[in-house]
Amino acid sequence: MKEFGSYDLDAYGRLGYRPAVPPFPKLDDVWERLQGAESAIGEFDRALSAFPVPGILGSLFGRSDAVHSSTAEGCTTTFGDLLEFQSGLRQAPDPEDARTVAATADAFDALSQKKGDPLTAAKSIHRRLFPGKDGGKLKTIPNGVADQDRPGGYFLYTHPERLQETLAAWKLLTMDSAKRPELVRQALSHWMFEHIHPFPDGNGRIGRLLVPLAMSWKGATQNACAFLGEGVRQNKGLYVEGLKAARSTGDFAPWTRTFLALAEQTARANQNRLSKLAGLMASWQKATAKFRSHSLVHPLVPWALTHPKFTVKDAQTGIGTGSFASVNEAVARLEELGLVEVAGQRSRDRLFVAKAVIELFEP
């Protein structure tokens, strides 16, 4: 097969790739992978909806995916680093690196709460990642990546002057309501977005974040939970080669199978974590059942489970009741039970850690 899509010359004689709308592969060619991915994501989705603590998707799983997806792009902030940076202490080994990961997590949390438009959402994510004057703006100069298979060893994405029409076609594909497997549609949409690369930077994280959001917006899932980040982080070479191979051959079945495998891998890992979190929740509630019903320990338990690195001030704000002294006493009760422990030696702004939760997301 010849290479899929076309190339446009700019005023300087540079060839920029313009992806066409990818064709749907034959269902028989992707069916086994599709069944596995749909089953894993559906199981995780239903378990999230049934989990007794609201907000767990954004507070834990969205942050975890932001870390994985950002690590795939070279960031060094860990899950624990991110939680500490987003606590009242606002500290991390690399604060600027942590800021971009936190921006990714915050963008997901905000956008998952309402139905949106994919291009508007992409610009909103970019604005959070790069909050300066160019935040949320499409590229104005060509961008590309090293590719030894291309003449000159470099591949240019879609030229800026062709963005409007190419993004319009991408948006139509993403939000198309024709009866097709939605995961397959979003696999093709993701491929197209990554070959447009519409922003100066951050396209990988933005594109991966749009997948669970679009799945949720279109009703394919109840929660925005069709994440890719962990699978991509662990299989970055396969992911990149899959994107490239579909462009080179015009055969989108292998890429779709790769995408579905990454989505399934991520969903199964997250479902396992959620199951263990349910066990932790039950054990924590059993351990704290001896306290009086009005004790602040009881609202603190579910909050600490979903915010496993916190200061007393964070907890006071989070549960929305009690004085600093009373919340501090409740945290002390959790510490006595071994549910949380202190990291550091400061007095009023000590950092408390629920290690059992952290270890689920950061072995």
Side-chain angles (χ1 to χ4, degrees):
M1 279 186 192
K2 66 177 183 178
E3 191 168 18
F4 184 78
S6 60
Y7 288 86
D8 300 304
L9 279 170
D10 68 3
Y12 300 94
R14 297 172 295 192
L15 287 171
Y17 181 68
R18 180 156 51 99
V21 175
F24 275 78
K26 293 179 180 178
L27 199 55
D28 286 347
D29 292 340
V30 300
W31 180 249
E32 186 176 352
R33 284 295 186 190
L34 177 61
Q35 282 189 309
E38 287 183 335
S39 175
I41 292 169
E43 183 180 351
F44 180 43
D45 190 24
R46 290 187 293 273
L48 280 169
S49 295
F51 200 80
V53 184
I56 193 170
L57 176 64
S59 62
L60 291 179
F61 293 96
R63 283 175 170 79
S64 176
D65 192 72
V67 170
H68 285 298
S69 193
S70 299
T71 302
E73 302 300 325
C75 289
T76 58
T77 297
T78 67
F79 183 72
D81 293 339
L82 174 61
L83 294 180
E84 189 164 342
F85 181 77
Q86 292 191 305
S87 75
L89 299 184
R90 299 293 294 179
Q91 61 186 22
D94 185 338
E96 177 54 26
D97 187 89
R99 185 203 65 77
T100 65
V101 180
T104 306
D106 289 342
F108 169 79
D109 213 12
L111 292 167
S112 64
Q113 305 300 318
K114 55 184 179 181
K115 186 172 182 178
D117 166 87
L119 184 54
T120 301
K123 289 179 178 179
S124 176
I125 300 165
H126 189 268
R127 194 175 298 115
R128 286 176 180 266
L129 282 169
F130 306 99
K133 63 178 183 178
D134 295 325
K137 295 183 179 178
L138 300 176
K139 65 186 177 185
T140 57
I141 59 174
N143 53 359
V145 65
D147 184 349
Q148 296 307 310
D149 295 330
R150 301 297 306 171
Y154 202 70
F155 173 82
L156 279 180
Y157 298 109
T158 304
H159 282 315
E161 57 267 26
R162 305 308 295 263
L163 282 180
Q164 185 173 356
E165 61 190 276
T166 315
L167 283 171
W170 163 76
K171 180 178 172 180
L172 283 174
L173 170 64
T174 306
M175 300 307 289
D176 185 15
S177 59
K179 192 173 182 180
R180 299 273 195 169
E182 193 60 43
L183 266 176
V184 175
R185 179 180 285 111
Q186 294 311 318
L188 302 177
S189 169
H190 183 66
W191 178 91
M192 194 174 180
F193 182 89
E194 295 308 324
H195 277 86
I196 299 170
H197 247 56
F199 299 101
D201 203 356
N203 293 281
R205 276 181 277 184
I206 293 169
R208 289 188 289 274
L209 191 59
L210 289 173
V211 172
L213 293 172
M215 289 286 290
S216 175
W217 294 338
K218 298 182 74 177
T221 58
Q222 288 183 282
N223 303 281
C225 62
F227 295 119
L228 291 175
E230 186 168 6
V232 170
R233 176 185 179 178
Q234 295 177 356
N235 303 275
K236 181 69 180 290
L238 288 174
Y239 170 77
V240 172
E241 285 304 311
L243 289 166
K244 180 178 173 181
R247 181 186 80 235
S248 300
T249 66
D251 182 0
F252 282 85
W255 158 249
T256 302
R257 288 195 296 268
T258 296
F259 175 97
L260 294 171
L262 298 177
E264 179 181 355
Q265 175 186 340
T266 304
R268 293 205 183 282
N270 281 332
Q271 171 57 19
N272 183 51
R273 293 184 182 104
L274 188 60
S275 178
K276 291 179 178 178
L277 281 168
L280 276 177
M281 178 76 170
S283 68
W284 285 20
Q285 289 177 327
K286 182 178 180 180
T288 55
K290 62 184 178 182
F291 296 106
R292 294 180 179 178
S293 60
H294 64 270
S295 170
L296 292 181
V297 166
H298 298 300
L300 185 60
V301 162
W303 185 86
L305 186 83
T306 54
H307 300 80
K309 277 197 175 184
F310 62 93
T311 66
V312 174
K313 289 181 181 178
D314 294 332
Q316 184 183 12
T317 302
I319 65 175
T321 186
S323 64
F324 180 91
S326 60
V327 175
N328 186 55
E329 183 179 349
V331 173
R333 300 291 82 78
L334 296 189
E335 185 183 4
E336 289 169 1
L337 292 169
L339 307 184
V340 301
E341 60 183 63
V342 179
Q345 300 300 319
R346 283 177 286 190
S347 56
R348 289 179 64 85
D349 58 353
R350 291 172 299 166
L351 186 71
F352 291 87
V353 181
K355 290 185 69 174
V357 177
I358 298 290
E359 289 170 356
L360 293 179
F361 293 86
E362 190 178 274

